[in-house]
Amino acid sequence: MAGRGPTQGRIVVETDGQVSVVSLHGEHDFSSRPRLEALVATLLEQSRGVVIDLGEAEFLNVPVLGALRRAADLAVEEHKGFAVSLPAGGSWSVRRLFEVTAAQDLFPVVESVDEGVALVEQPAGDR
Amino acid sequence: MRREVDIQLTLAARADELPGVRQMIRAIGRTLHVDEELEGHMLLAVDEACANVVAHAYSPDHPDALMHVRAHTQADEVVFVVSDQGSPITTGKSPGAGMGLSLIRAISDAFEIEGPGDDGTRLTIHFRLPT
C-alpha cells in the first residue's frame, strides 16, 4: 500500500512581499522544528504576517505544535499577523492532534489559506 | 483469525529515528487491518512517547542513549512499550512533555508509566483492536 507510506517532510514558501505562506508537506517532527522556527522568524521580519498551510502535511507531533506556538507568540511581539490553515480534507492524524491538544487556543486556526491571508492582512487591532 | 505481531526495536534516542518508528507502526496497522482512526492514534501516541525519550530522557552527552520500542498483540489489544535507561518522564517536567503525555492518555485505551528504576522508564500504551 504505497499510498500509506511516509513522505519526507518538505517546507515550501510563497511570498508576495506582504504575506508569506509556508506549506508543510509530508511528515514533520523535531527535525523540522529548527528550520521552521528560523524561517518563520525571518519571514515575520520581512512581511506583514505568515500563514502556515497544513493542507499537505501528513503527520505532525507536539514539538512542531510548540514551534507553531512560538511563531504565534513572536508574531504578537512584532505586531505581525499569524494563522495556521488546516483544511477539512487534511490529514486525519493532524486534525486529531489539533483537536486533542486544543491547538486553536494556542494560535489562530482557519480552514483555508485564503482565510488565513485575509486574517493576517487585517490591521493588528482587528484580528 | 486475528493476526498477531511481536516486534522489538532498539534505536538511538535521536530525532532522526522517529520516521522509522512511524514506518513500523504503519506496517503494524496494515498487518492488523486497523482503520485510519486507530492507525492515526497509534502513530500519534507512540511517536509522542518516543519524542519524549528523545527530548527528555537523556542528557546530551549521554554515551549510550537508547530507546526500545516493542509492539505486541495480546487478547483483544495491541500493546506498545517504549522504554529507556534515562531520567524519569513526568507530567511536570516541561510543558512539552506534559502535553505529550496528555495526548497519549486522551487517545489510547490505557496508558501506564513505570519507573524510573534499574530498568529505566517504561511507557505502556494499549489500543483495543476491533472485534
Side-chain angles (χ1 to χ4, degrees), chain B residues 86-100:
Chain B
S87 57
I89 300 168
T90 65
T91 51
K93 188 163 186 176
S94 79
M99 184 184 281

Side-chain angles (χ1 to χ4, degrees), chain A:
Chain A
M1 256 185 256
R4 295 178 75 185
T7 305
Q8 191 174 7
R10 219 161 37 93
I11 301 177
V12 178
V13 179
E14 288 181 60
T15 184
D16 62 4
Q18 294 291 311
V19 177
S20 299
V21 177
V22 178
S23 301
L24 304 191
H25 296 243
E27 298 195 340
H28 293 270
D29 55 30
F30 285 112
S31 307
S32 305
R33 191 172 59 177
R35 184 174 169 220
L36 180 61
E37 288 181 348
L39 183 62
V40 172
T42 301
L43 293 170
L44 283 172
E45 282 179 12
Q46 297 171 349
S47 59
R48 290 179 63 180
V50 171
V51 177
I52 306 291
D53 175 19
L54 299 181
E56 299 297 326
E58 295 170 24
F59 181 85
L60 304 182
N61 63 7
V62 167
V64 179
L65 281 189
L68 296 178
R69 182 181 189 171
R70 279 188 287 280
D73 291 345
L74 183 61
V76 170
E77 284 171 22
E78 298 191 358
H79 307 289
K80 300 290 180 74
F82 182 83
V84 176
S85 167
L86 181 61
S91 155
W92 187 90
S93 76
V94 175
R95 295 189 64 79
R96 185 69 174 131
L97 175 68
F98 271 53
E99 184 182 301
V100 174
T101 59
Q104 73 279 359
D105 294 340
L106 305 177
F107 38 73
V109 180
V110 297
E111 292 193 351
S112 70
V113 170
D114 287 347
E115 196 181 336
V117 170
L119 181 68
V120 165
E121 284 181 332
Q122 287 177 6
D126 295 342
R127 283 182 204 126

Side-chain angles (χ1 to χ4, degrees), chain B residues 71-87:
Chain B
H72 65 281
T73 44
Q74 61 181 31
D76 61 346
E77 61 180 11
V78 57
V79 181
F80 293 89
V81 180
V82 176
S83 57
D84 63 72
Q85 285 83 43
S87 57

Side-chain angles (χ1 to χ4, degrees), chain A residues 4, chain B residues 28-36 38-39 42 129-130:
Chain A
R4 295 178 75 185
Chain B
I28 291 169
R30 289 195 294 274
T31 299
L32 297 177
H33 300 300
V34 304
D35 61 15
E36 181 185 31
L38 180 51
E39 183 179 300
M42 287 169 15
L129 291 166

